[in-house]
Amino acid sequence: MIPDKAPKEDVFHGSEDLKKEAHITSFENYKELYMKSIENPDEFWGDVAKDFFWKTKHTGQFLDYNFDVTKGEIFVKCMEGASTNISYNLLDRNVHERKLGDKVAFYWEGNEPGDELTVTYRELLQRVCQFANVLKSQGVKKGDRVSIYMPMVVELVVAMLACARIGAVHSIVFAGFSAESLCERIMDSQCSLLITADGFYRGDKLINLKLLADEALQKCRDKGFPIEKCIMLKHLSKEAEETSLGSQSPPAKRSCPDLQEKQTGRVKKTRPVPQVPWNPEVDLCWHALVRGASDECEPEWCGSEDPLFILYTSGSTGKPKGVLHTVSGYMLYTAATFKLVFDYQLDDVYWCTADIGWITGHSYITYGPLANGATSVLFEGLPTYPDVSRMWEIVDKYHVTKFYTAPTAIRLLMKYGSEPVQKYKRESLKVLGTVGEPINPEAWQWYYNVVGERRCPIVDTFWQTETGGHVLTPLPAATPMKPGSATFPFFGVVPAILNESGEELEGPSEGYLVFKQPWPGVMRTVYGNHQRFETTYFKKFPGYYVTGDGCRRDKDGYYWITGRIDDMLNVSGHLLSTAEVESALVEHEAVAEAAVVGRPHPVKGESLYCFVTLADGVTYNRTLEAELKKQVREKIGAIATPDYIQNAPALPKTRSGKIMRRVLRKIACDERDLGDISTLADSSVVEQLFQNRCCTAV
Ligand code: WTA
């Protein structure tokens, strides 16, 4: 339960100025509205829904649900009977009803300083309509799945909203994932079309995206799932034809027909660009298609519970889960959380540094901000390129007021001290946010003191791909902050802490974080596998949604996330399943068995420590180590690259053969205090592993 009064001691506050304009001005104000959201959700969410356009109104209850597996199938339905279109609400409504046509929707800032573009709401609407017509002309219909594998460019937003406009379901795959991962996701969601780009730069490194996309499509064909259409955006400049990349570059089969034409010119610096492999039977040129398309497109009116998108997230059994979100609930929830958690005001310039390939980018670069008519920075580059002041340079350049990033980025920049931050003024900043993993108090203090100069509240937002939007979070002018705590629930969210037997714990306690009832933005199913949805989130404790995170509640009622309690790791804010990395390792013929655990890392939060038992007759050496690393990168992507690989002639197992990961975690950290190991089948294995520990990352 939320306390009546906020604590006065050991808490931090933002500046008083913020309170003057804030939507929620005090803790009491928060509590009052929170109670309304729980006691009368229909009225609370009904008020939020009033801001949006509904082609037809909903009938019956605002939220209907079953969270109890013992009572039948799990379901959540929001605003049943209503019909709307999310792209209409994000674009047409802002342009025509709210007269925001000339307002900037995105300031695009490229990887290279000086590469920039500005897109207004009117332009975005036109481009979305054009591309929606392109999709239609390619035969994409309501309900069809479209896979998107693109860098951080405005066209990524255009592609996703064009899907939403015609009722197609987008499935975005982060451009850092490998061809294998893309293939797996395309096949799981049975996509009929892929949208990609020629390539992009991450700092100095060229990523030849089209080559990876082609590889993925070939893998799909080999597995009997041919996709016969691939739309490619030319993001890099027209020098593509003339520049040779030597051995890095694939032999071009034929060139993209439009490649000779003048490029959009946004990538100014002349750099090597990939030669793009081109298969005229499959490949279609984005620019050529758009040129012939009308910029008017009547939206497809969708039912509230029609699917909006699928986004894959790691699952503890290894195979990624296609998290499905639906139209109305997701729209209301991302809009409301964006407005209240960042205390959005019309003249704000908001910047979220996440990639759109993750849920944070879906909810808080595209849907939430655009639903509010906000102006955002869309950044393609890295915090450390060309130098470690880049973030603050951008903050000053666009006068960013609300800034949202990940603890891993904060810890990375903190290493360079305050000087690179203080080179820039940052006077415009009002609210700072974090997401993706627990933030350690030291990083919190640095963010608060150095970046925000003690003026900006920090909203430590806890949520998941599955929750659609923030579920535990401070509100900037209302919630006194405690460094490292995600504080209290957002409106409509009812958390509880359970012990191992499923009993709700009251007062200060620690256990499983669960939610007792749905909010509009919660996921509806795992695409194509409702049973997995029920098993993963609802089976352990009937009647509750189980987050998979551990949590502590302190004497003041504040919630503190303690990290995952399933077999998941959080590396730089990205969730990875140990099972997935293990299966990538054992696919190598030299590996008989593998076990992966997390080891704390000062910047990434956790790093991957892999124990491998080799097949008979194989010897461990540096070449094999490099091959294994490469294997994981190719199977999953660079984010899953092992930091440590240790040769493990045997793994610590129980008598029933279960690997004791708890022991491996201790070995990875060189901690000798192993606790109870009486269930170990052979304890000499442990000593051997301690002796062979790797001390340096590979
Ligand atoms: C972790 C990211 C502590 C948590 C939006 C969760 C956090 C997982 C926080 C979801 C936070 C996210 N404090 N831990 N503020 N935010 N997490 O699906 O373990 O990529 O379950 O969604 O990240 O990761 P996902």
Side-chain angles (χ1 to χ4, degrees):
M1 200 23 77
I2 296 166
D4 287 332
K5 286 213 161 34
K8 293 217 160 38
E9 282 164 19
D10 303 327
V11 288
F12 291 78
H13 298 268
S15 74
E16 281 300 312
D17 280 356
L18 204 72
K19 289 201 195 301
K20 291 187 199 132
E21 61 177 13
H23 299 293
I24 314 282
T25 50
S26 67
F27 194 76
E28 291 67 31
N29 192 193
Y30 156 69
K31 169 133 196 194
E32 193 184 314
L33 257 178
Y34 177 79
M35 294 318 292
K36 175 175 165 185
S37 76
I38 302 306
E39 284 158 10
N40 196 346
D42 282 27
E43 194 183 322
F44 182 88
W45 293 110
D47 283 346
V48 176
K50 277 186 198 143
D51 281 345
F52 294 91
F53 175 80
W54 305 96
K55 187 74 177 170
T56 56
K57 300 259 179 281
H58 75 283
T59 45
Q61 265 174 292
F62 206 91
L63 266 174
D64 187 13
Y65 72 100
N66 173 38
F67 257 23
D68 189 343
V69 271
T70 63
K71 296 201 175 128
E73 189 168 302
I74 301 293
F75 72 90
V76 177
K77 288 179 182 160
C78 179
M79 298 187 77
E80 271 257 286
S83 59
T84 187
N85 181 284
I86 199 165
S87 99
Y88 182 92
N89 275 295
L90 269 49
L91 301 173
D92 309 56
R93 183 182 59 102
N94 280 325
V95 172
H96 301 306
E97 287 166 36
R98 301 180 70 206
K99 309 287 176 225
L100 298 177
D102 294 326
K103 191 173 178 196
V104 173
F106 290 109
Y107 289 115
W108 179 77
E109 171 82 11
N111 176 63
E112 212 57 57
D115 287 347
E116 58 191 39
L117 281 175
T118 297
V119 184
T120 63
Y121 272 84
R122 182 173 296 105
E123 286 161 352
L124 193 59
L125 171 60
Q126 284 169 350
R127 296 186 66 179
V128 166
C129 287
Q130 273 184 325
F131 199 68
N133 285 324
V134 165
L135 291 176
K136 281 208 241 176
S137 72
Q138 294 305 318
V140 180
K141 298 180 301 297
K142 181 166 188 249
D144 288 352
R145 275 82 53 215
V146 172
S147 190
I148 304 180
Y149 186 55
M150 290 178 91
M152 284 286 284
V153 290
V154 172
E155 286 82 356
L156 170 51
V157 177
V158 170
M160 65 202 288
L161 294 183
C163 288
R165 193 159 191 96
I166 63 171
V169 181
H170 59 72
S171 168
I172 301 182
V173 179
F174 171 56
F177 274 122
S178 65
E180 177 92 24
S181 295
L182 175 60
C183 160
E184 186 180 17
R185 286 157 174 76
I186 288 175
M187 288 184 53
D188 187 77
S189 50
Q190 305 266 298
C191 291
S192 57
L193 183 139
L194 172 67
I195 306 170
T196 190
D198 47 0
F200 64 100
Y201 275 90
R202 266 180 77 73
D204 277 323
K205 192 167 169 232
L206 172 66
I207 314 288
N208 191 336
L209 205 60
K210 177 62 164 47
L211 195 61
L212 292 168
D214 281 1
E215 237 181 81
L217 293 188
Q218 188 54 46
K219 283 176 195 287
C220 290
R221 261 175 234 125
D222 294 346
K223 292 179 184 173
F225 186 79
I227 281 205
E228 294 315 344
K229 283 191 174 135
C230 173
I231 300 180
M232 188 198 79
L233 172 86
K234 288 180 303 159
H235 173 47
L236 299 176
S237 64
K238 67 175 180 128
E239 278 88 6
E241 285 275 272
E242 298 109 38
T243 321
S244 164
L245 272 179
S247 58
Q248 277 182 42
S249 134
K253 283 191 199 141
R254 274 198 231 164
S255 60
C256 170
D258 198 40
L259 223 49
Q260 309 288 357
E261 301 254 331
K262 191 175 169 300
Q263 242 290 357
T264 41
R266 57 188 159 195
V267 179
K268 290 193 193 121
K269 187 168 167 183
T270 312
R271 275 180 167 263
V273 292
Q275 285 193 341
V276 178
W278 193 258
N279 175 356
E281 271 148 37
V282 177
D283 294 333
L284 298 156
C285 180
W286 173 295
H287 312 270
L289 292 171
V290 161
R291 210 173 305 119
S294 154
D295 60 10
E296 279 179 27
C297 176
E298 173 71 10
E300 180 79 36
W301 299 109
C302 300
S304 277
E305 285 301 326
D306 282 349
L308 174 63
F309 67 83
I310 299 166
L311 181 60
Y312 286 85
T313 186
S314 299
S316 55
T317 57
K319 196 170 142 26
K321 301 175 290 238
V323 170
L324 185 103
H325 285 285
T326 53
V327 174
S328 297
Y330 180 81
M331 176 170 80
L332 296 184
Y333 201 68
T334 52
T337 45
F338 176 77
K339 177 175 169 183
L340 301 178
V341 173
F342 297 108
D343 192 47
Y344 169 69
Q345 306 290 337
L346 256 185
D347 56 356
D348 271 335
V349 176
Y350 161 84
W351 180 19
C352 165
T353 67
D355 193 289
I356 293 180
W358 305 108
I359 191 67
T360 305
H362 280 60
S363 300
Y364 300 113
I365 294 180
T366 301
Y367 290 105
L370 293 177
N372 283 278
T375 296
S376 300
V377 175
L378 178 60
F379 179 45
E380 185 193 22
L382 297 174
T384 49
Y385 180 84
D387 61 50
V388 295
S389 287
R390 184 75 191 273
M391 302 271 230
W392 322 119
E393 181 200 334
I394 296 174
V395 165
D396 278 6
K397 175 173 175 184
Y398 297 105
H399 306 288
V400 171
T401 53
K402 314 279 162 84
F403 178 72
Y404 193 30
T405 196
T408 185
I410 298 165
R411 289 193 296 262
L412 174 71
L413 296 177
M414 208 172 123
K415 284 203 311 190
Y416 299 93
S418 49
E419 191 263 340
V421 186
Q422 284 158 352
K423 258 169 71 182
Y424 292 91
K425 292 204 185 88
R426 293 157 287 111
E427 285 167 335
S428 51
L429 288 175
K430 291 183 182 169
V431 175
L432 302 174
T434 76
V435 57
E437 54 183 313
I439 180 163
N440 47 313
E442 194 193 351
W444 193 101
Q445 295 280 3
W446 187 81
Y447 199 25
Y448 182 73
N449 291 325
V450 179
V451 177
E453 296 182 332
R454 308 185 69 82
R455 171 181 84 239
C456 308
I458 294 180
V459 286
D460 175 356
T461 60
F462 167 83
W463 59 296
Q464 308 177 302
T465 305
E466 294 87 336
T467 68
H470 309 138
V471 280
L472 297 180
T473 177
L475 299 179
T479 318
M481 300 162 285
K482 294 193 183 190
S485 167
T487 72
F488 295 105
F490 188 73
F491 302 113
V493 174
V494 186
I497 297 181
L498 305 185
N499 64 14
E500 191 59 47
S501 339
E503 289 150 358
E504 277 189 35
L505 304 175
E506 303 294 332
S509 44
E510 185 164 345
Y512 292 87
L513 175 67
V514 298
F515 294 110
K516 295 168 73 160
Q517 61 185 55
W519 53 95
V522 70
M523 74 184 285
R524 301 303 198 256
T525 190
V526 169
Y527 184 77
N529 197 345
H530 197 67
Q531 201 185 347
R532 188 169 179 204
F533 172 60
E534 298 189 334
T535 315
T536 312
Y537 305 101
F538 296 95
K539 203 157 172 202
K540 189 172 173 73
F541 300 120
Y544 302 95
Y545 166 90
V546 181
T547 58
D549 283 289
C551 184
R552 179 167 71 80
R553 191 171 38 220
D554 71 13
K555 64 176 184 3
D556 297 320
Y558 281 63
Y559 290 87
W560 302 72
I561 304 296
T562 54
R564 300 291 307 185
I565 39 184
D566 47 15
D567 285 337
M568 299 283 227
L569 297 181
N570 195 324
V571 179
S572 298
H574 305 316
L575 269 197
L576 291 172
S577 105
T578 52
E580 202 179 355
V581 181
E582 285 160 7
S583 81
L585 287 167
V586 293
E587 273 184 46
H588 193 289
E589 56 186 11
V591 179
E593 194 169 19
V596 177
V597 296
R599 177 187 145 129
H601 185 279
V603 174
K604 300 201 271 190
E606 282 189 288
S607 57
L608 289 174
Y609 196 110
C610 312
F611 294 88
V612 291
T613 306
L614 301 182
D616 265 358
V618 180
T619 41
Y620 193 80
N621 57 32
R622 286 275 159 193
T623 319
L624 176 61
E625 193 169 275
E627 269 179 40
L628 293 178
K629 228 176 124 177
K630 186 160 164 265
Q631 166 103 358
V632 179
R633 288 174 76 101
E634 280 175 5
K635 290 275 159 200
I636 306 174
I639 45 164
T641 309
D643 296 271
Y644 303 86
I645 301 182
Q646 175 171 349
N647 181 17
L651 292 168
K653 291 188 184 167
T654 60
R655 287 184 189 86
S656 60
K658 203 169 178 308
I659 296 174
M660 291 182 74
R661 287 165 194 283
R662 178 172 65 76
V663 172
L664 289 176
R665 275 192 283 271
K666 295 276 185 181
I667 296 169
C669 300
D670 204 12
E671 282 172 19
R672 294 268 169 173
D673 175 17
L674 296 178
D676 179 13
I677 51 165
S678 56
T679 53
L680 260 182
D682 176 2
S683 55
S684 69
V685 169
V686 174
E687 190 45 40
Q688 193 181 27
L689 289 177
F690 267 117
Q691 274 167 20
N692 294 342
R693 277 187 74 256
C694 16
C695 303
T696 48
V698 291

